[in-house]
Amino acid sequence: MLSLISLSCGARLSVSRQKLQVQNHLNRLNKPAVKTIQSPDGDIIDCVHLARQPAFDHPFLKDHKIQMRPSYHPEGLFDENKVSDTEKPKKGSNPITQLWHMNGKCPEGTIPIRRTKEEDVLRASSVKSYGRKKHRATPQPRSADPDLVNESGHQHAIAYVEGGKYYGAKATINVWEPKIQQPNEFSLSQLWILGGSFGEDLNSIEAGWQVSPDLYGDNNTRLFTYWTSDAYQATGCYNLLCSGFIQINSEIAMGASISPVSAYRNSQYDISILVWKDPKEGHWWMQFGNDYVLGYWPSFLFSYLADSASMIEWGGEVVNSEPDGHHTSTQMGSGRFPEEGFGKSSYFRNIQVVDDSNNLKAPKGLGTFTEQSNCYDVQTGSNGDWGHYFYYGGPGKNPNCP
């Protein structure tokens, strides 16, 4: 009897200890708000003073002077905007906003932060792992060991360049809302800026859109960023869920829902993302669309990327947890294979890299990679309107991908 009582006391203690850990973590993440906006999708957006954002919990940023704008933009950035309206490709983008904009905006001098709720943290396997990718989540083209690629259960359909020194990357990404089979799986479309080896010291900066029920508690398509300087082990996180990225923009919230999304054989929507290294200060900046410079990752966060990137990847990633021993039916992109083309399959267009002279250039020697092309595939092309582009994605489980 006694042992039963002590057991239940112990269980209660560990529950209350966990609650305390969760509460402390929430207090660290959710900063005091100047204004709060309720989003139609259930999110709460806190407008937090620039200087109170999570980045400044970092010991190295205690005396950091916020840079309110990059010293330089890449050359050639606005070339595609010089095309007259009549010449502009009919295919492509319609304006995109974030859902929370319907209910208000954040004042100048603040940044919008998606509030983390208790249930968000409780969905993670531990407080420590909340807001983090699993180890070895980066696609490694031509990996010597095919088992290693599938070890993490992550699958990819990507285009990539390697072998040079890269100082940034840009893409316009078609936005969809792929269906996810299991809550612990996700589907994302992003660019990766990589430095170092695929061992323990990989540096990565990532940005794009994702559907992740585990991270956000729903199936909405959301804008996200990620960074790590040690191959997803101890450093880095999604969005602003740890100290690192310094946001300066008051209009776009990391992790907030993107609206509207594309529909099969219907209106198509896309987002442009540019990440580049400021040649003067050395920080890695991010821009969303043509108008929103979001902020930067200070260069001291990284080892290899403090200098330059050695590889750029663009494309899709899903988690395949092989529910009931079969391949997952979690969709990548639109859930359709590349050969279906515009309006049906998802695309990346106008993909470019930034060279050592801070010029946006077409990628040279573009390769492609996918672990199982009968589950998810990728096909590249190029033309006048879209520059270098590719269609990618697939349905996952199907008769050829059991």
Side-chain angles (χ1 to χ4, degrees):
M1 190 67 184
L2 264 174
S3 63
L4 272 178
I5 291 167
S6 61
L7 200 67
S8 66
C9 284
R12 274 207 301 276
L13 267 172
S14 72
V15 166
S16 58
R17 193 177 299 125
Q18 187 197 20
K19 239 179 149 43
L20 191 65
Q21 275 185 327
V22 169
Q23 208 39 64
N24 287 342
H25 199 58
L26 290 173
N27 293 343
R28 260 200 308 280
L29 289 176
N30 295 325
K31 303 300 184 192
V34 173
K35 177 182 175 182
T36 292
I37 297 161
Q38 192 80 42
S39 176
D41 58 0
D43 278 1
I44 298 167
I45 303 294
D46 288 323
C47 305
V48 173
H49 194 278
L50 264 173
R52 305 287 300 263
Q53 63 182 296
F56 296 107
D57 293 341
H58 199 293
F60 289 6
L61 288 171
K62 285 284 177 264
D63 303 315
H64 181 81
K65 187 174 179 330
I66 302 179
Q67 225 186 306
M68 287 312 289
R69 62 183 61 82
S71 309
Y72 297 96
H73 269 86
E75 297 294 322
L77 176 57
F78 299 108
D79 288 358
E80 65 182 79
N81 303 347
K82 290 177 188 154
V83 181
S84 77
D85 277 341
T86 50
E87 295 170 60
K88 274 197 175 161
K90 295 289 174 273
K91 286 179 178 181
S93 62
N94 292 302
I96 274 195
T97 59
Q98 293 191 306
L99 270 179
W100 65 275
H101 292 166
M102 292 164 69
N103 291 344
K105 49 194 225 200
C106 283
E108 279 296 303
T110 69
I111 62 160
I113 303 182
R114 178 184 183 268
R115 186 183 299 179
T116 302
K117 299 172 180 162
E118 186 176 6
E119 58 264 33
D120 293 333
V121 183
L122 291 174
R123 276 192 307 275
S125 53
S126 69
V127 171
K128 203 165 177 268
S129 68
Y130 172 66
R132 299 198 160 172
K133 275 192 182 183
K134 305 268 189 301
H135 191 22
R136 283 232 171 95
T138 308
Q140 190 174 354
R142 299 201 309 281
S143 165
D145 175 7
D147 292 343
L148 192 139
V149 172
N150 275 323
E151 183 190 322
S152 63
H154 288 236
Q155 288 194 282
H156 309 86
I158 61 160
Y160 67 94
V161 288
E162 63 179 343
K165 282 190 159 201
Y166 308 103
Y167 296 84
K170 182 176 189 289
T172 297
I173 313 172
N174 198 190
V175 179
W176 291 82
E177 194 173 276
K179 297 202 171 10
I180 313 296
Q181 186 182 340
Q182 303 281 109
N184 63 334
E185 297 178 334
F186 63 62
S187 181
L188 54 76
S189 298
Q190 64 167 75
L191 52 84
W192 287 260
I193 290 177
L194 301 166
S197 69
F198 283 87
E200 306 297 294
D201 60 357
L202 182 76
N203 288 197
S204 183
I205 289 174
E206 307 169 26
W209 60 257
Q210 68 181 159
V211 176
S212 175
D214 220 19
L215 188 57
Y216 303 106
D218 60 24
N219 290 296
N220 291 357
T221 302
R222 294 166 175 278
L223 174 72
F224 83 94
T225 58
Y226 200 92
W227 69 275
T228 178
S229 60
D230 62 356
Y232 308 97
Q233 292 174 91
T235 62
C237 60
Y238 281 111
N239 306 329
L240 303 179
L241 295 176
C242 65
S243 44
F245 186 81
I246 296 173
Q247 184 161 334
I248 57 163
N249 184 285
S250 65
E251 293 175 82
I252 300 294
M254 301 287 198
S257 301
I258 296 171
S259 177
V261 296
S262 305
Y264 182 70
R265 300 177 82 160
N266 211 321
S267 299
Q268 296 302 298
Y269 296 90
D270 53 28
I271 57 173
S272 290
I273 287 178
L274 164 67
V275 175
W276 82 101
K277 195 175 190 346
D278 186 332
K280 185 161 178 254
E281 307 288 340
H283 305 320
W284 288 90
W285 284 82
M286 175 174 167
Q287 179 168 313
F288 176 73
N290 290 325
D291 308 315
Y292 304 110
V293 174
L294 295 192
Y296 58 95
W297 291 270
S299 62
F300 77 78
L301 295 172
F302 305 102
S303 48
Y304 297 98
L305 289 180
D307 172 46
S308 61
S310 50
M311 188 170 192
I312 307 288
E313 299 176 344
W314 299 263
E317 174 183 4
V318 299
V319 174
N320 171 27
S321 63
E322 296 192 348
D324 27 279
H326 293 285
H327 194 287
T328 181
S329 60
T330 286
Q331 299 174 328
M332 182 190 289
S334 67
R336 302 280 175 156
F337 282 114
E339 48 270 23
E340 293 205 37
F342 186 77
K344 299 170 192 170
S345 176
S346 187
Y347 60 79
F348 278 61
R349 65 179 172 91
N350 301 106
I351 62 175
Q352 292 175 298
V353 295
V354 180
D355 68 9
D356 55 4
S357 308
N358 201 32
N359 288 308
L360 274 163
K361 287 273 174 22
K364 274 196 179 66
L366 195 63
T368 61
F369 170 78
T370 179
E371 290 90 353
Q372 290 175 274
S373 59
N374 47 355
C375 307
Y376 310 105
D377 205 4
V378 54
Q379 287 182 5
T380 58
S382 63
N383 65 31
D385 286 344
W386 280 25
H388 286 264
Y389 67 87
F390 61 89
Y391 285 96
Y392 72 102
K397 186 182 174 185
N398 69 74
N400 300 318
C401 170

